[in-house]
Amino acid sequence: MKRVVISCNLSDTYDFFLPICAKMWKEKIEYEPIIFLVGTQDEWRKSHFGVVLGELEKLGCAIVWVDRVPGVADSNVAMSIRQHASALPWLDPNDLLLVGDADMLPIR
């Protein structure tokens, strides 16, 4: 299966783009999104972040929750965690993984 790995922290800069980007990858490019979210599910359900999470769930995206790392900015955790997606135990060894950004909208 072809998959795209995207990550985000609780960020007013990138959260808006996340469901739009995931939808484009899924429906336009036909890659299944794996979304790494830094923080807890409760934090993401609060305020407007809940809308983002709800849209990702409606799309059927695989969501992986990532704990914060003391002393490391959440944005750095979000950027670094994507490279570890291949270690997810439920992936098929033949899956193709592509790393993307929350605001990198594929248009073709």
Side-chain angles (χ1 to χ4, degrees):
M1 178 178 286
K2 297 182 292 184
R3 300 177 185 271
V4 61
V5 182
I6 306 169
S7 60
C8 195
N9 59 305
L10 294 162
S11 165
D12 289 329
T13 303
Y14 296 104
D15 70 307
F16 172 81
F17 297 105
L18 187 56
I20 298 167
C21 185
K23 184 175 179 75
M24 291 179 78
W25 275 108
K26 185 171 183 136
E27 296 181 4
K28 189 107 172 122
I29 310 298
E30 298 180 351
Y31 272 57
E32 286 297 318
I34 299 172
I35 311 293
F36 284 95
L37 297 178
V38 178
T40 67
Q41 194 169 3
D42 286 342
E43 290 172 316
W44 277 87
R45 292 218 182 274
K46 290 180 184 175
S47 182
H48 67 281
F49 296 111
V51 174
V52 171
L53 181 56
E55 290 302 312
L56 294 172
E57 291 171 338
K58 280 185 208 172
L59 281 172
C61 295
I63 297 173
V64 180
W65 296 100
V66 180
D67 293 332
R68 290 188 169 83
V69 178
V72 179
D74 289 352
S75 57
N76 288 345
V77 174
M79 286 186 288
S80 300
I81 195 64
R82 294 177 287 198
Q83 65 186 335
H84 301 286
S86 63
L88 291 169
W90 45 267
L91 291 178
D92 184 291
N94 295 312
D95 283 352
L96 174 66
L97 299 178
L98 179 69
V99 176
D101 288 334
D103 62 344
M104 186 176 80
L105 304 176
I107 55 175
R108 293 189 201 193

